[in-house]
Amino acid sequence: MAKKIVAIVGRPNVGKSTLFNMLAGERLAIVKDTPGVTRDRIYADVEWLNHNFTIVDTGGIEPKSDDIIMRSMREQAEIAIETADVIIFLTDVRDGVTASDMQVADMLRRSKKPVVLAVNKADSFEKFESYVYEFYNLGIGDPMPISAANRLGIGDMLEKVVAEFPEETLDEEPEDIPRIAVIGKPNTGKSSMINKLLGTDRLIVSDIAGTTRDAIDTKIKRNGREYIFIDTAGLRRKSKIKDEIERFSIIRTVAAVERCDIAVLLIDAEEGVTDQDAKIAGIAHERGKGMIIVVNKWDLIEKDTNTMNKMKKDIRNKLAYMPYAEMLFVSALTGQRLPKLFDTIDMVEQYSCMRIQTGVLNEILTDAVAENEPPNDKGKRLKLFYITQVSVKPPTFVLFVNSKELAHFSYIRYIENKLREAFLFTGTPIKIILRERKEK
């Protein structure tokens, strides 16, 4: 199941980034006592008791501001609201209810999303209790006093947040239908590619209304098999700030990737790989999704005998953390090589679902250790006892060792490479989890 998304929204300078950093467990957002510092949404995965969800930090909402940056931040917050399952509406007990708070509350009511109203900076509940009552005037539920800086009232707030999560329902679609998220920067041709796939094959089955993730799912049938494409192309928004346009893509990308089996990263052949491409690809990589890199607009590139190899090398260098990703060069406009995408999806899905027998895995492990002895530190050598596969999507293995501290990442990468030599695992990351086991 996809992780639920919780957006923290409110006017500037009420402590959203402080709350976000506390929940995330590390300093990810800039904290400064100046309105408008957090101009980009930042996301992080949170585990609380038995619940796992993704929180999103937003720029402050100034509903009536004409300032171009404030307006852009408001648009970002609106996207976060559209995408979220639950919203934490953060206010400031020391400022009381402001006109901006009233306007934000009105915006949240129109969203029809579950809202948890948190009144921040209540460092002493007894001292600020009477002040908290004022926030009932927002008409958006019971205000909950908290102090993000001092970690007060956070557990009660989170308990209310998770209680608002929609109940899990069984997917109407069969599990064997692969879900493909088409991700990438704006204007790389995501919608054009899906439209071409539909137009070329004339196999549209249905348009599935967007879920709370605010994406349109399109079902395509080819050679008797169905595929669901999750289009994130609705990210484009007019703005005079280029950086802000690129940042709009992050939250919807997170939401789409959470729901997919395979991510298709679309890269503009004329621009090549950008930093934004690397960030977006990293979201899919971190979540263990199958990965296909599609270089679009290849028909517009002047070519010689080495053009494709140069582009491949550049992509591999800039996306060095995901060497397993499969790569295609296409034209969404002409349909060149586009049908091959379905074959690549089938292949990547097959590898992401592959299960290897434990006996075979341990034969490979034995050969790998014989070929390259594990490292040692101060006379103590790493010992690898046993390996077994525990899950798929992505293929995940547990490796039992005598000491995690001795298991340098380079040697674990060596073991991963040996597994790939034997079974390829094309297009899918694999995970190796270390477990310590006492020597007999």
Side-chain angles (χ1 to χ4, degrees), residues 248-261:
F248 285 140
S249 63
I250 296 299
I251 182 59
R252 283 183 179 164
T253 299
V254 171
V257 167
E258 287 287 3
R259 299 170 52 221
C260 79
D261 302 304

Side-chain angles (χ1 to χ4, degrees), residues 347-364:
M347 177 183 66
V348 171
E349 186 193 26
Q350 182 179 356
Y351 280 117
S352 70
C353 296
M354 180 182 287
R355 287 189 180 274
I356 313 299
Q357 291 182 349
T358 300
V360 176
L361 287 172
N362 283 281
E363 286 178 13
I364 294 169

